[in-house]
Amino acid sequence: MRVQMVDLRSQYDLIKSEVDQAIQEVIDTTAFINGPQVKEFSNALAAYTGAKYVINCGNGTDALQIAMMGLDFQPGQEVIVPAFTYVATAEVIALLGLKPVFIDVLPTTFELDNTQLESKISSRTAGIVPVHLYGQCSNMEAILEIARRYHIKVIEDTAQAIGAKYTFSDGTVRQAGTMGDVGTTSFFPSKNLGCYGDGGAMFTNDEKLAEKLHMIANHGQKKKYHHHIVGVNSRLDTLQAAILNVKLQHLDRYSASRNEVADKYDEAFAGHAHIKIPVRAANSTHAFHQYTVQLEGVDRDELKSYLAGKGVPTMVYYPLPLHQQEAYKNLGFVKGDFPVAESLCEKVLSLPIHTEMSADDQEYIISTIHSFFN
Ligand SMILES: *Cc1c(COP(=O)(O)O)cnc(C)c1O
């Protein structure tokens, strides 16, 4: 490939001395588990996001699971989740013996369709998991209003949207992950704030809940070898925390670079007969984890392989909605149940976007895409 979908190597090169030093410090002190960098990072991330409490854990999937355990969701209860998202969100629901209740998404912003939310709520509904897909916030004002009215918990899956800001109608601005009962995120290497392995975190403003989430992530113990509740073992290791301490300082620059790339793509494809550029949500900034277009009247696979042949990688996030996945067949949904999710799976294409994209590379991507249609 001439250009890369995500260029973690160039990103590292620019911060190499800081990162190498941070890693070396951990090795020198051999505090591989729960070293001081772990706490330092959760404090720094709390300050950055405005969340009162940040609880680190092993990855973004664990964060979702621990959040549901911490909120006391009981087997048999239902959790509403978009049909168009990464599988992790639904997976932990199923693993805990809960029932995923899928909801369709909006064809504009790809976020869960809040106008359908009330029709999905039953007496067994325990929670809603809005996913801030591709980097912008779901319609949190509407979701939170409905959740409060029905006494339902909200877990924001912020794995793709760390740093995105949402503005409420009263002017209050809050960061993705800090509006619901719990927010969860992932530090998977290619995420907007990625470490060099696995990592994750939960956000909450509730002190008691924060303590509980921390306990669950740590074998249900408050004091070493005293276990109050059934927990799991899910840690952010010190090396990853040390790397994240460095990278968090660059996150605003990373977001700005992603937005610059997105703006250039917008300009290049606005009004294109076959390419629909992403719609910006009214109340949210965009962290552009992905720049995802919708293709109209063109064979996506043909375009994808044409581009690949010219050294331009693209990805399909996601080719199959959750209700059509083999693993969730038992829920009884069929093709046609979530028409927007199904249609998006056929139309979406994510273009290369990353923090060190050169103007030359981006121009090459744009002209290569244009050449397909000429
Ligand atoms: C990446 C991702 C996750 C899972 O994060 P991991 O750290 O890989 O477990 C969950 N939800 C969404 C929307 C994601 O993009």
Side-chain angles (χ1 to χ4, degrees):
M1 288 290 162
R2 176 179 155 177
V3 293
Q4 288 186 278
M5 194 71 197
V6 175
D7 188 356
L8 295 177
R9 177 69 215 203
S10 305
Q11 192 189 58
Y12 166 66
D13 286 342
L14 287 177
I15 54 172
K16 184 175 186 315
S17 60
E18 292 169 82
V19 169
D20 289 0
Q21 193 191 335
I23 291 174
Q24 192 59 51
E25 265 169 37
V26 177
I27 298 172
D28 287 343
T29 56
T30 70
F32 297 116
I33 299 292
N34 279 330
Q37 290 86 345
V38 178
K39 187 78 196 145
E40 200 183 302
F41 174 64
S42 53
N43 289 342
L45 191 58
Y48 180 87
T49 57
K52 276 205 183 124
Y53 305 95
V54 172
I55 303 97
N56 297 316
C57 62
N59 56 68
T61 308
D62 279 3
L64 286 160
Q65 181 180 334
I66 296 164
M68 288 179 201
M69 292 169 75
L71 289 169
D72 238 350
F73 290 5
Q74 295 299 319
Q77 285 190 310
E78 298 173 356
V79 181
I80 301 169
V81 55
F84 185 68
T85 179
Y86 183 55
V87 69
T89 326
E91 196 169 47
V92 301
I93 297 172
L95 271 176
L96 291 172
L98 297 153
K99 188 178 165 210
V101 171
F102 296 126
I103 181 167
D104 213 346
V105 294
L106 296 163
T108 45
T109 56
F110 315 108
E111 317 295 351
L112 77 73
D113 183 353
N114 56 281
T115 65
Q116 295 188 26
L117 201 46
E118 286 194 76
S119 70
K120 303 287 172 190
I121 294 173
S122 80
S123 58
R124 290 181 304 277
T125 308
I128 306 166
V129 186
V131 181
H132 303 321
L133 203 70
Y134 303 148
Q136 59 186 350
C137 296
S138 306
N139 185 342
M140 288 306 291
E141 182 147 357
I143 294 167
L144 289 171
E145 188 277 316
I146 293 168
R148 272 190 209 117
R149 200 145 36 83
Y150 288 89
H151 306 288
I152 294 166
K153 302 294 184 192
V154 175
I155 299 173
E156 293 173 69
D157 184 340
T158 314
Q160 301 188 4
I162 196 149
K165 294 190 180 88
Y166 182 86
T167 306
F168 288 84
S169 52
D170 68 359
T172 312
V173 178
R174 300 280 291 277
Q175 271 204 31
T178 68
M179 297 172 271
D181 295 278
V182 183
T184 65
T185 199
S186 162
F187 307 121
F188 185 85
S190 62
K191 297 280 156 87
N192 287 30
L193 179 61
C195 60
Y196 293 176
D198 276 308
M202 293 161 276
F203 308 103
T204 184
N205 296 319
D206 178 330
E207 185 180 0
K208 276 226 168 73
L209 182 57
E211 211 173 277
K212 192 169 173 195
L213 295 171
H214 190 71
M215 267 169 66
I216 294 171
N218 189 22
H219 295 294
Q221 72 185 7
K222 231 185 225 168
K223 202 170 116 196
K224 208 165 170 75
Y225 306 125
H226 292 74
H227 306 273
H228 298 259
I229 45 178
V230 176
V232 297
N233 175 25
S234 185
R235 293 186 280 243
L236 179 70
D237 60 58
T238 315
L239 278 170
Q240 302 306 339
I243 293 161
L244 287 164
N245 276 328
V246 172
K247 289 189 70 179
L248 181 59
Q249 293 169 36
H250 298 276
L251 184 56
D252 283 339
R253 177 167 68 78
Y254 292 158
S255 299
S257 307
R258 287 173 179 278
N259 270 274
E260 267 173 43
V261 173
D263 289 347
K264 264 192 219 159
Y265 279 141
D266 273 5
E267 214 176 282
F269 303 122
H272 193 284
H274 302 285
I275 299 172
K276 213 167 119 192
I277 61 175
V279 174
R280 312 281 178 114
N283 292 356
S284 178
T285 64
H286 207 316
F288 279 107
H289 175 60
Q290 299 297 341
Y291 185 90
T292 303
V293 299
Q294 293 180 57
L295 300 170
E296 303 281 353
V298 47
D299 186 327
R300 178 177 63 190
D301 292 341
E302 214 177 288
L303 172 61
K304 196 174 187 322
S305 54
Y306 172 85
L307 294 173
K310 305 259 179 201
V312 176
T314 53
M315 295 289 281
V316 175
Y317 302 112
Y318 298 93
L320 200 60
L322 295 185
H323 68 287
Q324 289 182 270
Q325 301 282 354
E326 190 67 38
Y328 301 100
K329 283 254 164 78
N330 63 327
L331 295 171
F333 293 108
V334 293
K335 196 166 159 63
D337 283 344
F338 303 99
V340 178
E342 290 166 26
S343 131
L344 287 176
C345 286
E346 285 168 13
K347 288 181 182 171
V348 291
L349 191 68
S350 299
L351 307 184
I353 190 163
H354 56 79
T355 55
E356 324 301 334
M357 170 98 68
S358 73
D360 278 358
D361 278 355
Q362 193 173 7
E363 264 155 42
Y364 177 72
I365 296 165
I366 290 168
S367 64
T368 310
I369 293 171
H370 281 312
S371 73
F372 174 83
F373 294 97
N374 292 334

